[in-house]
Amino acid sequence: MKIGILGAGHIGQALARLLAEAGHDVGLSNSRGPETLQDLTERLGHGIRAYSSEDAARFGELVIETVPFGHYNDLPTAQLNGKIVIDTANYYPERDGQIDLGGLSESAFMARHLGGARVVKAFNAIQAAHLESQGDVSQPLEERRAIPIASDDDEAKAVVSRLIEEIGFAPVDNGNLEQSKTQQPGTPIYGREATAAKARELLGLH
Ligand SMILES: NC(=O)c1ccc[n+]([C@@H]2O[C@H](COP(=O)([O-])OP(=O)(O)OC[C@H]3O[C@@H](n4cnc5c(N)ncnc54)[C@H](OP(=O)(O)O)[C@@H]3O)[C@@H](O)[C@H]2O)c1
């Protein structure tokens, strides 16, 4: 599928490579324009293309939003309307500044900001280096590292779950966007290497 990525940092690069290797058509963007991404896209290979963030959002049937949370206001909201948007972000006040989430989870806040997007929280609780190295499609699902995933949209969640399996991890359904609070920084699952069974235990799921 066509996947647009907003953010070409640690997580954006890791997902671009993994998803392109899995056969997807990937477009990558940063805040400074496609001309600043030529060396990176050449190095990543697999036909990954450089776009502006607006064009990456337009290009993707599914879009991954992986910019530091404090930059949420710069996201191309109009182009994300109606699309499945994977939100990998974590809110760190010391990095992102004070943002009033109004008691919402970070991803529910993002979904409200984006309006018409079908937001799915995923890949926020794994370090980029581990995302790069720990996926293993040769392993059965129950032995793979788990990736918790949350959304208010079950169909979107199913699409993202398939992508997670394709890159060698095991998706664990962590409920809706409000419930994604249990995979935010400071929670037991955050940064933790766990199988799906262990992840469900750490997330308090039964
Ligand atoms: N690093 C990790 O291990 C990790 C793990 C899980 C989750 N996360 C979360 O995932 C998010 C991204 O983290 P990261 O470590 O990958 O960040 P990063 O390495 O700092 O990279 C951020 C990227 O976002 C780009 N960007 C900023 N504003 C943009 C915009 N409006 N449109 C398109 N691109 C934009 C930056 O482009 P420029 O370079 O042009 O400014 C840069 O390429 C954060 O919320 C982080 O907390 C990180």
Side-chain angles (χ1 to χ4, degrees):
M1 88 192 289
K2 288 183 180 171
I3 299 177
I5 304 185
L6 312 178
H10 296 91
I11 295 286
Q13 290 182 35
L15 287 175
R17 183 181 65 76
L18 291 167
L19 290 165
E21 280 176 3
H24 297 284
D25 206 358
V26 175
L28 194 56
S29 67
N30 64 7
S31 70
R32 288 164 291 142
E35 61 286 354
T36 66
L37 286 169
Q38 294 308 327
D39 289 350
L40 176 63
T41 50
E42 267 171 41
R43 200 166 68 241
L44 291 172
H46 300 289
I48 296 170
R49 280 172 275 181
Y51 286 118
S52 67
S53 55
E54 288 78 7
D55 284 345
R58 220 175 266 124
F59 166 80
E61 297 162 75
L62 175 146
V63 180
I64 300 170
E65 175 283 288
T66 185
V67 312
F69 186 62
H71 292 257
Y72 74 94
N73 264 321
D74 301 332
L75 294 170
T77 314
Q79 288 83 357
L80 296 175
N81 198 25
K83 300 210 171 171
I84 298 175
V85 175
I86 300 180
D87 175 29
T88 78
N90 292 305
Y91 174 40
Y92 284 107
E94 59 278 18
R95 179 194 65 191
D96 300 316
Q98 286 302 322
I99 299 168
D100 181 4
L101 301 183
L104 298 174
S105 69
E106 179 277 325
S107 285
F109 176 88
M110 182 66 77
R112 191 180 65 180
H113 173 68
L114 295 178
R118 305 166 68 190
V119 173
V120 180
K121 179 80 164 187
F123 302 115
N124 74 299
I126 180 169
Q127 276 177 37
H130 292 165
L131 187 56
E132 288 270 7
S133 62
Q134 293 184 342
D136 186 353
V137 288
S138 72
Q139 289 205 321
L141 276 180
E142 63 273 15
E143 287 174 25
R144 297 181 184 185
R145 177 159 177 177
I147 301 274
I149 169 171
S151 179
D152 298 343
D153 182 324
D154 286 343
E155 198 183 270
K157 208 191 303 191
V159 171
V160 177
S161 294
R162 275 197 298 278
L163 292 181
I164 290 171
E165 290 184 18
E166 282 175 19
I167 62 171
F169 293 91
V172 168
D173 188 339
N174 190 28
N176 63 29
L177 291 181
E178 258 321 284
Q179 289 164 315
S180 73
K181 280 181 175 168
T182 59
Q183 65 189 76
Q184 288 184 169
T187 59
I189 191 70
Y190 192 70
R192 185 81 180 269
E193 290 175 41
T195 61
K198 181 70 184 170
R200 276 190 279 273
E201 187 188 313
L202 293 169
L203 289 161
L205 303 169
H206 301 288

